[in-house]
Amino acid sequence: MRVWIARPEPGASRTAARVSALGHDPLVAPVLMLATTGDAPPDGRFDGLVVTSASAILALPGPALPGDGTTPVFCVGGRTAQAARDRGFRSVLDAGGDAADLVRLVAATLRPPCRLLHLAGAERKAEPGLSLERAGYAVAIHVSYGMTAAAALPAPVATALAEGQGEPIAAALHYSRRSAEVALALAISAGRGGAFRALKHYCLSADVAAPLVAAGGRIHFIAARPSEDDLLAGLANDV
């Protein structure tokens, strides 16, 4: 199948290589672009860092790290944990799952009250911060990046979704709710809404799939766990 990968770089190209290895034809056409804020993390001592996206690590400005580099870094999953190690953090803990797993990992490691710094994006969700605060932790937020939406549907996608023009797209991979929402909106604006909804949509979670479901999209697969391995396992079965 020809598979549209709408997630931002640098993840999109990495995913494309994995999709190709599964025997599919990836089309990399992000609808969101990462924009760093350039803001320095707040001063002061933190007992732990909480990270829900590898992009939050990649967007940190300059060589300095929050804390002294040995402050424990609680990461939502393996990709985020690897980004933290690559950046130079020496005490990295991997929750291996979602926000709820991250809260459990923090609770098993640090007792409240502790001061935590959540490295996040501008479009962050309420969790895990809300549950951590309810458990007695003091959570500060540092926004290191945001995502800017494309102004129009990427030209290769618009062509591929037009009947009788070029090699058609059969499926789309969705890694975040916002990218799914933006892809849908851009497709509708370009007059390709029907063709977009008819694609096989592979979603990282039920939350990611929600806007597509509401719009009548064809949800072909939802990952059992919010990890790329679980998402691509669905694609592997459809060679």
Side-chain angles (χ1 to χ4, degrees):
M1 295 188 298
R2 194 176 193 204
V3 181
W4 177 18
I5 301 169
R7 72 180 306 196
E9 293 288 13
S13 292
R14 183 182 66 245
T15 298
R18 297 191 65 180
V19 168
S20 181
L22 292 172
H24 298 290
D25 177 19
L27 172 59
V28 175
V31 297
L32 296 174
M33 281 66 69
L34 187 147
T36 61
T37 64
D39 296 339
D43 294 329
R45 179 183 175 278
F46 293 94
D47 300 293
L49 308 180
V50 176
V51 193
T52 48
S53 169
S55 295
I57 297 289
L58 298 174
L60 287 173
L65 300 176
D68 59 3
T70 62
T71 303
V73 184
F74 300 92
C75 299
V76 70
R79 190 67 62 183
T80 303
Q82 188 57 54
R85 295 186 191 98
D86 291 344
R87 187 60 195 267
F89 289 101
R90 297 192 291 278
S91 179
V92 178
L93 297 89
D94 178 3
D98 56 16
D101 296 310
L102 193 53
V103 171
R104 283 190 286 270
L105 178 61
V106 172
T109 309
L110 297 175
R111 290 175 180 254
C114 286
R115 191 169 183 234
L116 304 174
L117 178 62
H118 182 190
L119 304 180
E123 296 84 20
R124 69 188 180 278
K125 297 178 182 178
E127 296 294 352
L130 183 60
S131 291
L132 288 170
E133 288 179 340
R134 285 174 174 169
Y137 298 93
V139 182
I141 306 293
H142 171 60
V143 176
S144 62
Y145 75 99
M147 288 295 179
T148 302
L153 189 68
V157 177
T159 298
L161 290 178
E163 187 174 354
Q165 294 188 27
E167 184 182 355
I169 297 171
L173 290 180
H174 302 286
Y175 280 73
S176 74
R177 183 177 181 127
R178 185 163 183 236
S179 67
E181 290 172 337
V182 171
L184 171 64
L186 293 178
I188 292 172
S189 295
R192 305 288 194 271
F196 174 80
R197 284 187 286 266
L199 296 175
K200 290 182 176 181
H201 293 284
Y202 294 75
C203 301
L204 191 68
S205 69
D207 180 66
V208 171
L212 304 177
V213 172
R218 181 186 173 195
I219 307 303
H220 184 71
F221 180 82
I222 296 176
R225 297 279 290 171
S227 74
E228 185 170 61
D229 286 345
D230 282 47
L231 178 60
L232 296 186
L235 198 61
N237 293 329
D238 289 334
V239 175

